[in-house]
Amino acid sequence: MLGIYVWNKATVDLTSLQGEELQQAVASKRDLTVKDVHELQQRGEWGAVELAISSEKVKPTPELFLEALQLGTGEVIRTYLQHDADPFAELNGEPLMARVYGENADAEKWKIVHEEVDDARLLLLAADALDLNAVTSLLDDGVTIPVQAKESILYQPVRHNHVTLIERLIANGALWTSAHEQLAREFRSDAVMTWMNQR
């Protein structure tokens, strides 16, 4: 009789459950499929997703993690990062973490990423996304620009005419070169060209 009960719990259909019942069903399962977790995330059942990831009922895939970054709560992102989600995985050639940054990004999410991931590559992604607040936060936390990126970190800000970001990065070790001046001319970055003339 016990065997039938255990089998029934293991084959429970999660799609019909929510809240506490869903949490209990997830807890009772030995493992979940990527599809199960995808469906939970699409339904916004973040408590159940946290439970599934934290109890290692599914291995985080880049696809699941990307969904969590886009749709999930900060705590779900923290749970993924604490349970082997690769913050520098790429999908279609784009780093997943690039989705955390941007001029209109959710600061709660990138703050959690900064708490959980200690890696200067985050600074490069934040600069590429022109996220001045995230760049400032990382620099204030003592993150330094990697030696091999001291010039390249300025390319996106130059292309997009972001003088404040350029100044912040130069003040923290980025190197301004004639290549940047040429790039500003090519992209007709008028604010950058004005700034160059005033230097």
Side-chain angles (χ1 to χ4, degrees):
M1 194 67 181
L2 178 62
I4 293 171
Y5 176 69
V6 170
W7 182 83
N8 283 339
K9 281 172 60 174
T11 58
V12 159
D13 179 14
L14 299 178
T15 58
S16 62
L17 302 175
Q18 58 188 21
E20 190 67 31
E21 276 187 317
L22 177 60
Q23 299 258 15
Q24 289 172 358
V26 167
S28 73
K29 285 181 171 280
R30 184 176 297 135
D31 52 32
L32 294 175
T33 66
V34 167
K35 183 175 183 238
D36 290 334
V37 177
H38 165 71
E39 288 172 359
L40 292 172
Q41 292 189 157
Q42 290 297 308
R43 289 169 45 198
E45 293 285 358
W46 299 112
V49 171
E50 278 185 60
L51 179 59
I53 299 297
S54 64
S55 56
E56 299 180 355
K57 294 182 185 292
V58 67
K59 183 166 175 44
T61 65
E63 292 81 3
L64 287 177
F65 188 34
L66 178 59
E67 265 183 6
L69 288 169
Q70 291 174 315
L71 307 172
T73 64
E75 285 311 306
V76 166
I77 293 169
R78 186 187 307 278
T79 301
Y80 267 93
L81 290 170
Q82 289 175 344
H83 291 87
D84 298 330
D86 179 0
F88 299 103
E90 294 186 0
L91 276 178
N92 303 319
E94 182 183 18
L96 300 184
M97 282 296 116
R99 301 294 180 96
V100 173
Y101 300 113
E103 291 179 283
N104 299 312
D106 181 347
E108 179 206 357
K109 290 182 180 180
W110 57 250
K111 283 177 182 172
I112 285 173
V113 170
H114 295 179
E115 289 170 15
E116 297 297 327
V117 180
D118 182 15
D119 194 303
R121 289 177 287 177
L122 293 177
L123 181 59
L124 307 181
L125 293 172
D128 276 353
L130 309 175
D131 192 329
L132 179 62
N133 293 327
V135 166
T136 300
S137 172
L138 287 161
L139 293 171
D140 288 350
D141 287 344
V143 175
T144 57
I145 300 169
V147 172
Q148 70 276 17
K150 285 187 180 287
E151 291 181 28
S152 61
I153 197 168
L154 293 173
Y155 292 155
Q156 280 294 85
V158 169
R159 285 186 190 106
H160 292 274
N161 226 7
H162 205 313
V163 172
T164 308
L165 183 54
I166 292 167
E167 290 177 329
R168 179 68 42 87
L169 291 167
I170 289 173
N172 285 276
L175 297 176
W176 182 265
T177 68
S178 58
H180 297 111
E181 293 178 11
Q182 182 62 35
L183 194 63
R185 286 190 204 72
E186 286 172 14
F187 278 82
R188 294 188 173 93
S189 301
D190 56 329
V192 174
M193 289 191 284
T194 301
W195 171 79
M196 284 171 10
N197 292 331
Q198 294 170 351
R199 287 184 82 209

